[in-house]
Amino acid sequence: METLFYLLVFLQILMGAYLIWQCLEWLGYVRRRLQTDPGFYAPRVAVLCPCKGIEPGLERNLVSLTEFERQNYEIFFILASATDSARSIIDRVVKSSRVKAHVVIAGNPNGCSEKVNNLRAAVEQLDPEFEVLVFTDSDGRPGKTWLHHLVAPLGDVRIGATTTMRWFIPNRSNLPTALLAAWNAPVVTMLSEKGKNFCWGGGTAIRRSNFEQSGVLDEWKNSVSDDYSLTAALERTNRSIVFLPECLTLSYVETDFQGLLEFTNRQVLITRVYAEKAWGPAAATHLLYCLTLLFGALLILGDVFAQRPAFHLVTLTFLPLLLSAIRSSLRLIGVTEALSAARSQITGQAWIYVLLTLFIPFLYVVNFANSLVTRKVRWRGVTYELVGPQQTRVV
């Protein structure tokens, strides 16, 4: 076991050093983007926001969508049912909005998720005057310049779409909420300047012409995942996806253990079904990390009980943790610079994003294991069976 442990530590050091180098590149990209002028491209934009049910801070989140500066846009709040509990809040936001806002009732889905069905129904009803489509979520709270920074780069017709990512801030001081924020944090550095980016459904902008030419509506027809299917459509037509860290979106969250597992299991299962090439390496990376720590702990305990020196084992076990903490710290620096208005909130909970993330791979392993034994996910009260990327059953 000790020989295997040494091998695992060696692999962790190599992998950790490589990931730190990637984080440094990511941080450099964040800083360059923050100094980049977004440009003057300001087309007619449709902001599409699917909604369902009441969630923490919903009204403030939706109001933030009515406060964007330097952009010519209208908002479309989309519900599956006119009797949805969020309807009264949406009506209040629409009534007080300084920009034109609409409510779209999409109806029940057939062979796709409610969110995808909502988006399809809204896009199909849009006037031809809208040149750009922006997709966002009701649990995000973007800043006033968010829309302009997300849309302006599309003035370069070579860009297929622009995208960003969420950053969770715990709205409640309980362990499941902290774990959710820590679980989500590493996703931010999965997007980069030159990497193979994917569209995030909570913040993506695309020219309508690109959207139609890529056949996204057909890709969505039997899908549960709006963002992975959008990504697949763009990849099929060789269109680039540009990550914009200056558009990182705050999301204030609170959950319990059931909600934590429901969210994390869903994300990983969707990744397995729609992006298996990413799922496999990620599963192996997290599993090796966890095995290294477990083997190290067992060997340390064995030496302690046998009254043998264990300092060298403690040091080797600590190395992967140290490398992970360095990566998390670099990520946190970039996020606080991109989200400077929330810097004090984020740094006040730095232990979540630096220390708690050291043990998040164990939760990821649970998620990967779950994705091997089931194809069912629960999403906002509805259960779906993910038969394949082009086949979804509403259970």
Side-chain angles (χ1 to χ4, degrees):
M1 182 184 285
E2 196 161 328
T3 303
L4 178 59
F5 171 67
Y6 291 147
L7 177 60
L8 287 172
V9 170
F10 177 70
L11 291 174
Q12 287 300 312
I13 292 172
L14 289 179
M15 192 179 303
Y18 171 71
L19 292 174
I20 287 174
W21 173 70
Q22 279 196 325
C23 257
L24 286 168
E25 282 201 323
W26 179 85
L27 180 57
Y29 176 60
V30 170
R31 288 174 168 170
R32 288 195 301 277
R33 284 298 320 176
L34 292 176
Q35 299 300 317
T36 301
D37 188 289
F40 300 99
Y41 182 56
R44 190 73 172 149
V45 176
V47 176
L48 307 175
C49 180
C51 303
K52 181 172 183 176
I54 306 294
E55 54 197 328
L58 176 63
E59 185 162 1
R60 185 68 197 93
N61 295 345
L62 300 186
V63 167
S64 71
L65 303 181
T66 71
E67 298 175 337
F68 295 132
E69 299 172 347
R70 298 175 60 193
Q71 201 66 51
N72 179 18
Y73 73 103
E74 294 181 21
I75 310 168
F76 296 81
F77 297 112
I78 318 154
L79 295 164
S81 169
T83 59
D84 192 284
S85 57
R87 180 64 188 269
S88 59
I89 292 176
I90 292 172
D91 286 342
R92 193 158 59 240
V93 172
V94 168
K95 186 176 180 181
S96 61
S97 174
R98 64 175 181 81
V99 298
K100 195 169 184 180
H102 314 263
V103 179
V104 177
I105 306 301
N108 293 324
N110 181 21
C112 64
S113 67
E114 270 193 12
K115 184 181 182 183
V116 168
N117 188 63
N118 286 355
L119 291 173
R120 291 183 76 246
V123 170
E124 288 170 348
Q125 296 178 30
L126 286 181
D127 289 336
E129 64 180 14
F130 293 105
E131 299 173 54
V132 169
L133 309 178
V134 170
F135 306 110
T136 189
D137 288 338
S138 59
D139 60 353
R141 194 173 301 176
K144 292 185 178 182
T145 61
W146 183 86
L147 185 61
H148 179 65
H149 281 83
L150 193 67
V151 169
L154 294 177
D156 183 347
V157 295
R158 294 170 298 178
I159 295 175
T162 59
T163 195
T164 188
M165 185 46 65
R166 63 182 164 245
W167 185 262
F168 283 157
I169 293 184
N171 218 18
R172 188 195 300 177
S173 56
N174 64 343
L175 182 58
T177 303
L179 287 170
L180 179 59
W183 184 95
N184 180 76
V187 182
V188 173
T189 40
M190 289 175 63
L191 298 163
S192 62
E193 180 179 13
K194 299 175 183 177
K196 193 174 181 181
N197 292 326
F198 56 89
C199 294
W200 171 55
T204 289
I206 182 172
R207 282 177 176 264
R208 193 171 186 178
S209 57
N210 285 346
F211 181 89
E212 292 172 350
Q213 290 165 13
S214 300
V216 179
L217 285 179
D218 288 335
E219 193 76 29
W220 276 350
K221 195 171 293 183
N222 298 298
S223 174
V224 78
S225 174
D226 56 313
D227 36 26
Y228 274 129
S229 294
L230 174 57
T231 301
L234 290 170
E235 287 178 346
R236 194 170 52 247
T237 53
N238 294 315
R239 299 183 189 275
S240 62
I241 300 168
V242 177
F243 168 53
L244 302 178
E246 64 269 36
C247 296
L248 286 177
T249 305
L250 291 174
S251 182
Y252 293 87
V253 292
E254 55 184 73
T255 190
D256 53 21
F257 280 109
Q258 181 180 346
L260 170 69
L261 288 175
E262 182 178 301
F263 178 87
T264 57
N265 283 338
R266 180 175 72 245
Q267 299 301 317
V268 171
L269 178 55
I270 288 174
T271 300
R272 186 190 173 204
V273 172
Y274 289 88
E276 194 161 13
K277 289 181 180 179
W279 178 91
T285 300
H286 287 86
L287 181 60
L288 286 175
Y289 177 91
C290 294
L291 286 175
T292 304
L293 297 187
L294 288 173
F295 280 2
L298 288 173
L299 290 170
I300 290 167
L301 288 173
D303 279 4
V304 168
F305 288 136
Q307 296 184 335
R308 294 191 300 263
F311 179 76
H312 68 295
L313 293 174
V314 173
T315 303
L316 290 174
T317 305
F318 179 72
L319 272 175
L321 295 171
L322 176 62
L323 294 171
S324 179
I326 292 172
R327 294 198 304 272
S328 298
S329 299
L330 291 170
R331 182 188 305 120
L332 190 63
I333 290 169
V335 169
T336 54
E337 291 181 10
L339 294 169
S340 56
R343 186 191 302 269
S344 60
Q345 284 180 292
I346 297 171
T347 54
Q349 298 175 318
W351 68 273
I352 292 174
Y353 308 114
V354 177
L355 298 179
L356 199 54
T357 51
L358 301 179
F359 305 100
I360 284 299
F362 289 95
L363 175 55
Y364 268 101
V365 168
V366 172
N367 303 143
F368 286 120
N370 175 79
S371 69
L372 288 171
V373 298
T374 184
R375 284 288 178 121
K376 292 182 180 179
V377 296
R378 189 164 178 79
W379 194 355
R380 301 223 177 192
V382 181
T383 300
Y384 303 96
E385 184 178 2
L386 282 60
V387 181
Q390 296 296 329
Q391 189 176 358
T392 300
R393 291 198 190 104
V394 182
V395 180

